[in-house]
Amino acid sequence: MQMQQFIDRSHLDLPTLNAWIEAEWLVPIAAKRRLDFSDAELARVRLIQDLKADFGVNDEGISIVLHLLDQLHGLRCLVQDIQTMETLDRAKHGG
């Protein structure tokens, strides 16, 4: 989604959005001289907002939570790849 639609859906103001991009809490896709945002980025905004408002997590804590979440996602993808390779290997060898 384009920036204005993302701002409307996330209820962020432009300075906050820019600060979160600068902090690498959000990583939009650069496309033809504009920034596009995914639904995953919208979910991250909602998580950040919940952590700040509901749990009182400070900026340093937000960075740690997002870093751990990204690591967990990477490990999940790796496990899925390994499972796929094992399934293909079993099929290849008739097992």
Side-chain angles (χ1 to χ4, degrees), residues 49-90:
Q49 290 168 331
D50 287 347
L51 290 170
K52 284 179 164 285
D54 297 342
F55 299 103
V57 178
N58 63 19
D59 287 356
E60 186 175 316
I62 298 287
S63 294
I64 291 168
V65 168
L66 292 175
H67 177 73
L68 292 172
L69 184 65
D70 291 341
Q71 285 184 328
L72 182 61
H73 176 71
L75 289 173
R76 184 174 177 220
C77 290
L78 181 60
V79 168
Q80 287 175 338
D81 289 347
I82 290 169
Q83 289 173 336
T84 300
M85 289 177 6
E86 288 175 345
T87 300
L88 292 173
D89 191 49
R90 279 194 299 269

Side-chain angles (χ1 to χ4, degrees), residues 11-50:
H11 306 290
L12 290 178
D13 56 35
L14 189 56
T16 301
L17 176 61
N18 287 331
W20 290 8
I21 291 170
E22 181 70 26
E24 296 180 359
W25 292 359
L26 301 174
V27 183
I29 302 161
K32 295 183 182 179
R33 301 172 60 109
R34 69 171 197 253
L35 299 177
D36 286 340
F37 297 85
S38 66
D39 287 336
E41 294 302 314
L42 187 58
R44 284 176 78 94
V45 166
R46 292 184 177 138
L47 173 63
I48 294 165
Q49 290 168 331
D50 287 347

